[in-house]
Amino acid sequence: MLLPLIYLIGSITFILGLKMLSHPDSARKGNLVAAFGMTLAIVGTIFLYRDHSGNSLGNYPWIFAGLVIGSIVGTLAAKKVQMTAMPEMVSLFNGMGGACAMLISIVEYHHNPNPSMGMLVVIVLGMLIGTVSFSGSIIAWGKLNGRIKDRTIPAGQAINFLLFAGILTMAVLLVFSISSAPFLFYGILALAALYGILFVMPIGGADMPVVISLLNSFTGVAAAFGGFLYDNPVMLTGGILVGSAGTILTILMCKAMNRSLKNVLIGSFGGQKTGGSVGGSKEQGSYKEISLNDTAVLMAYASKVMIIPGYGLAVAQAQHACHELEKVLEDKGVEVSYGIHPVAGRMPGHMNVLLAEADVPYDKLKEMEEANDQMAQTTVVLIIGANDVVNPAAKEDPASPIYGMPILEVEKAEHVIVNKRSMKPGYAGIENDLFFKPKTSMLFGDAKKVLQDLVSELKQV
Amino acid sequence: MLLPLIYLIGSITFILGLKMLSHPDSARKGNLVAAFGMTLAIVGTIFLYRDHSGNSLGNYPWIFAGLVIGSIVGTLAAKKVQMTAMPEMVSLFNGMGGACAMLISIVEYHHNPNPSMGMLVVIVLGMLIGTVSFSGSIIAWGKLNGRIKDRTIPAGQAINFLLFAGILTMAVLLVFSISSAPFLFYGILALAALYGILFVMPIGGADMPVVISLLNSFTGVAAAFGGFLYDNPVMLTGGILVGSAGTILTILMCKAMNRSLKNVLIGSFGGQKTGGSVGGSKEQGSYKEISLNDTAVLMAYASKVMIIPGYGLAVAQAQHACHELEKVLEDKGVEVSYGIHPVAGRMPGHMNVLLAEADVPYDKLKEMEEANDQMAQTTVVLIIGANDVVNPAAKEDPASPIYGMPILEVEKAEHVIVNKRSMKPGYAGIENDLFFKPKTSMLFGDAKKVLQDLVSELKQV
Amino acid sequence: MDSIAQLFTDAATYRLLTIVILSIFLGIEVISRVPSVLHTPLMSGANAIHGVVIIGAIIVMGEAASDDYLALTLGFLAVILGTLNVVGGFVVTDRMLEMFDKKKKRK
Amino acid sequence: MDSIAQLFTDAATYRLLTIVILSIFLGIEVISRVPSVLHTPLMSGANAIHGVVIIGAIIVMGEAASDDYLALTLGFLAVILGTLNVVGGFVVTDRMLEMFDKKKKRK
Ligand SMILES: NC(=O)c1ccc[n+]([C@@H]2O[C@H](COP(=O)([O-])OP(=O)(O)OC[C@H]3O[C@@H](n4cnc5c(N)ncnc54)[C@H](OP(=O)(O)O)[C@@H]3O)[C@@H](O)[C@H]2O)c1
Ligand SMILES: NC(=O)c1ccc[n+]([C@@H]2O[C@H](COP(=O)([O-])OP(=O)(O)OC[C@H]3O[C@@H](n4cnc5c(N)ncnc54)[C@H](OP(=O)(O)O)[C@@H]3O)[C@@H](O)[C@H]2O)c1
């Protein structure tokens, strides 16, 4: 009975792994612990699994081929992916897991022509949830990398409801063996795939990480159904752990954006975009531009500069140029810090990760509250490719879709300089009054280019 | 299959109960939730349990008689017990649980003349741990209510080690069926009982709550072995939950006293008492007394008074008199607050519970850090029946057994008045230099009497 | 009872062990952030919960043959003691927590 | 596989359900205090863990008869996809966390 012991160890590593992953000091080790347990469980299954007649597994060449192909492709994809594209990568991998659960259910459905009701429930639910997770994740992936655009589906909620009802009806017919036609099974599969697509399609790109986290917990539940199917405790604990942890994580992520899950799923940013631009159509004042040279002078003689990075910095891959700027300023005796908003960028911790990549010292990164406290003593705030996270509408305009989100209160500083490429809105798709405030000057251009130019200007000041 | 469902619900209520018990807002409800689940599990077992041949349980009159007797006695005891005696009550109840586990194992041992090894292990371990928990808890109970005095056992550790070795040898003989003589079984029982006694005997009364918490988790483990024995999931989860939660709680309690578990169990206060009194034999200065009248005047004209309650307040049941004093002072425009040390009294939260009983408003109770911050602005500190928690040796004398424990730093205040009955030491059994400091005045007498007198004096000022 | 014979040889054991491990972790997680004022009530509440051993006592009692005086006597005693643990435990915990409640009402 | 026939009628189910319930609580408890910078790596790590579904794929594949082309093809695909999920998941998580590590070293 070595295999059950291995599975037990596997379950323990998953718990420990998740536990360690939620503390900064142990996170990386936690990931390795879970990976170790997973390897153990996989190797154990391959060599020690016995079916009820005591036969070991066959088809080793196929199994190993699959493992090797998957490992190589997975490793390469994971290693090559850009920092900014990581969330979409996670979504893709998540979809693979969902598809895997779906395929298993399909095969088991065909292998059991006369299944018991309990078994049928487990197979159908595993397939259903796996499929939704699969198709939803693929859409999320496509939206995040820009292949698929936001699209509000007319009467989307009604359609989703119909789909849901259809799935339920077919599932009941199938499970209570009122009809056992395979087309019911595949019908459920098709509707589930469609449901996943329509479910994710209208959700704004800014909310994608939340949706991915939700789909993540779906796949966990699908994996747990596999655990029921094979009476396998490690699949069960692993799947359920992820299912419940993923759900909590989804809620936590919503909270960090100050939104409710319902709000994300139904009243998505995508749908409200129109509302936002209506708000934007009200006559804005005019904005003023500032030249590179003036910016350089202003900063060189400032006592304290705070840099506020946003998604644009990540897109432009300007983190190294940013660090360069910081060093030049410090050489001139200017105190430089970074104001990090929790949801700046496209994933939580995005800015931290990005700036760490450029070796920016950790103690220069100020979290939102601290940054806001220091704002009044700051001479120049330089906003690089950030938009929503400094939008005063979040505090002032109850009609705004981002109303209630805490923001970096840059207006408390003496001067505000905003670098972006145009007057286009950010992810929430809404206008930003900040740009039209008297204190604010715009410094247009690609973040990387602007920062590099700024550095050379500064060296001449 | 209703019973397994009931057991599942029982397990869930235990988890929820523990979870809710660890938050102040939900604690009371949590206790009720767990009690509900327990009732369900008990009633379910009585009526729905079937043995392997499908027979239901018999001997209903006996079962109900036992339940009724236990309920009545338990309720009365729990309702009548004084606030200060609650920890010893908990210890007694804990011992009952341990004894219950022990008795079950004895009966099962006799019912299974040819048990498998696995079964024997479960029976013997359940009996062993239950017995240790039982005898240890009874000693802890006796020590807390003063029936049993602290006693250092000469060569105690060596004896404990021998006992341990004896138990182990006999258990191995029994389990591997090298000998199956019942005297082995009862020999283990006897040694386990002795071990429990000797284990708890030398530990200082001040550390008793920690020991009770430890024995508590022992009983949990013993109950879990019962779960193995009857293949019963609710006994298993309930027992293990308590076993692990109790262990953590033990560690947390040690931390609150700034000691390690090892330190509590081996280098107990009891053993160090001599060390303490040696320290005390060094020539102390003299102390000065203060009259009731002077105290009243001093307090009436103070701007801020802080009352520091300790074990003596609880013993004297002076909480109402204390609240009276507070009201009289406030009427005179004096600001009154209470400085609450986390381990003042004999159980964590003892002072909070006690003062709450006298309806002292919650916002007047300051936790240690806050109290220490306010100390410098305080005119008079009135210490009522507290000793160790204000002993400066904890900060100054590395040789002191309480060295390292954070204390209430009363010396920062203008005047310190100490009420106790004599110059005798407190629970840790060590002298308190504070009493001999120039700032300190002693106000001897029973706390309740002194406070009542103080109130009448104050009314005349 | 005979299920125990196989207890240490079959997969069911490992399922029980999984339950044990999960419960251990859960116990640790649930308790690890309890404020110190709640230590005693929590200890007391946990004390009541391990009184679940009463279920074993009830089974012993209920399965005892009417001439098995050992089982009858010890079982009866076990039921009483177990009930004491459960009932006394919950009641005393409730009393402790009542104090906290009172406190809050007047806040 | 035939164990499933009884799955919803016997006590083993309830033992599995106990595991499920305990895991749910544990998942909630373990995660509920994670700082927001760790949200993404945690999500990614959890994503890798549910790749444990690969075990099902291996079993399907390994039990497929050599003329059962449906099982062979779908099983093979499932093994590849599952491996992608597991390996890619852990590697990408490690890469994310590496950034945090670097950050700490220079603190
Ligand atoms: N962090 C998370 O966990 C997370 C997750 C999901 C959603 N979100 C959402 O994402 C948004 C994050 O706010 P944010 O302020 O960081 O970003 P943002 O509001 O999306 O704004 C980014 C700005 O960067 C500019 N930009 C783009 N490329 C640039 C380049 N190459 N050089 C210079 N500027 C460039 C864009 O303006 P131009 O086009 O004019 O240049 C754009 O306005 C919030 O709405 C948040 O709710 C965050
Ligand atoms: N709270 C917990 O969780 C906990 C648990 C275990 C141990 N402990 C330990 O208990 C101690 C608590 O410290 P503490 O300062 O509260 O108490 P303490 O150090 O035990 O001192 C209590 C003092 O009260 C006096 N006293 C007794 N009866 C009195 C009465 N009727 N009227 C007036 N005074 C009376 C005694 O002096 P006289 O005899 O001269 O009157 C004694 O010195 C610490 O050592 C702590 O580690 C606490």
Side-chain angles (χ1 to χ4, degrees), chain A residues 205-210 253 257 259 269 309-313 315-317 341-351 384-390 402 405 419-428 435 444-448, chain D residues 40:
Chain A
D207 290 329
M208 251 342 132
V210 176
M253 286 170 110
M257 301 208 218
R259 320 211 14 221
F269 272 3
Y311 177 64
L313 184 84
V315 173
Q317 286 290 307
H341 191 282
V343 299
R346 284 297 170 270
M347 59 185 198
H350 198 165
M351 293 300 123
I384 308 176
N387 189 337
D388 297 341
V389 300
V390 292
I402 63 167
M405 177 171 91
N419 162 243
K420 57 202 299 284
R421 294 164 310 174
S422 66
M423 289 305 286
K424 288 215 208 99
Y427 227 84
F435 305 156
F444 289 116
D446 176 77
K448 188 168 184 176
Chain D
T40 308

Side-chain angles (χ1 to χ4, degrees), chain A residues 81-99:
Chain A
V81 64
Q82 296 242 317
M83 226 40 232
T84 43
M86 282 201 178
E88 63 203 64
M89 198 81 241
V90 172
S91 180
L92 195 61
F93 289 144
N94 183 48
M96 301 299 103

